[in-house]
Amino acid sequence: MSLRPERVLIDRATIQAKVAEMARAIEARHRHPEPLLVVSVLRGAVIFAADLMRELNLALSVEFVAVESYGSSTRSSGAVNITRDVTEDLDGRHVLLVEDIVDTGLTLRYLISHLKGKNPASLEVAVLLDKVARRQIEVKVDYTGFVIPDAFVVGYGLDYAGLYRNLPDVMVLGESAS
Ligand code: PRP
């Protein structure tokens, strides 16, 4: 038996509509003259961040931070480690941290605390998928796309063993006999 994408959980059109809705909410709250600094988490959030940025009618720049937490299994080890930090100075900047999914909350809690330590003027968090049933610690998410059940999902940036990030839909991984 091997694990493969089995069924569509959220199709591309529904994702696209939600990303546009999230962009409108972000625009409504960012009326200051300074550009927004989008910080996208590598690797899973890059597809969502790319679509969200193209929807945002705001002056913005983009930065990346890379973290390791899951390895190639379907369960979190709970350990979070920054493997690539932001390079720009965040002091006084308006930062939007963009994540594909919040599960236990450990990664976001760590990243929020890490970025807050760089003294931004504001720090908000946008997450496409929220697996709320798996939360181990409370984290503040300002913009949430979809609350999803506790299934292993791939596609739209999310992987299983490095694969399936390029699928345009969010799909549930299941067992197939081959
Ligand atoms: C995923 C996701 C978050 C994290 C969420 O990353 O992108 O960073 O897990 O899980 P948590 O709430 O339990 O901490 P992953 O480690 O799969 O790496 P990737 O982004 O490179 O796919």
Side-chain angles (χ1 to χ4, degrees), residues 111-165:
L111 280 173
I112 289 168
S113 147
H114 176 74
L115 295 177
K116 274 189 176 163
K118 295 176 184 289
N119 201 29
S122 67
L123 175 63
E124 288 192 322
V125 179
V127 170
L128 184 69
L129 305 173
D130 185 349
K131 223 188 255 186
V132 75
R134 297 238 325 138
R135 195 77 85 257
Q136 288 179 16
I137 47 147
E138 216 177 293
V139 280
K140 182 176 162 282
V141 176
D142 301 278
Y143 311 95
T144 302
F146 304 94
V147 173
I148 61 165
D150 182 14
F152 197 90
V153 287
V154 296
Y156 200 73
L158 291 107
D159 76 307
Y160 171 61
L163 297 175
Y164 310 126
R165 294 191 198 273

Side-chain angles (χ1 to χ4, degrees), residues 90-130:
L90 265 53
D91 190 9
R93 306 290 300 274
H94 293 283
V95 174
L96 178 69
L97 179 61
V98 175
E99 258 289 28
D100 52 349
I101 188 165
V102 55
D103 187 316
T104 63
L106 293 167
T107 305
L108 261 186
R109 179 180 66 174
Y110 186 85
L111 280 173
I112 289 168
S113 147
H114 176 74
L115 295 177
K116 274 189 176 163
K118 295 176 184 289
N119 201 29
S122 67
L123 175 63
E124 288 192 322
V125 179
V127 170
L128 184 69
L129 305 173
D130 185 349

Side-chain angles (χ1 to χ4, degrees), residues 19 23-24 27 46-58 60 156:
V19 171
R24 300 297 83 78
E27 286 164 1
V46 290
I47 307 279
F48 172 45
D51 282 352
L52 184 64
M53 286 191 289
R54 282 177 291 187
E55 269 294 337
L56 280 171
N57 188 21
L58 288 175
L60 64 79
Y156 200 73

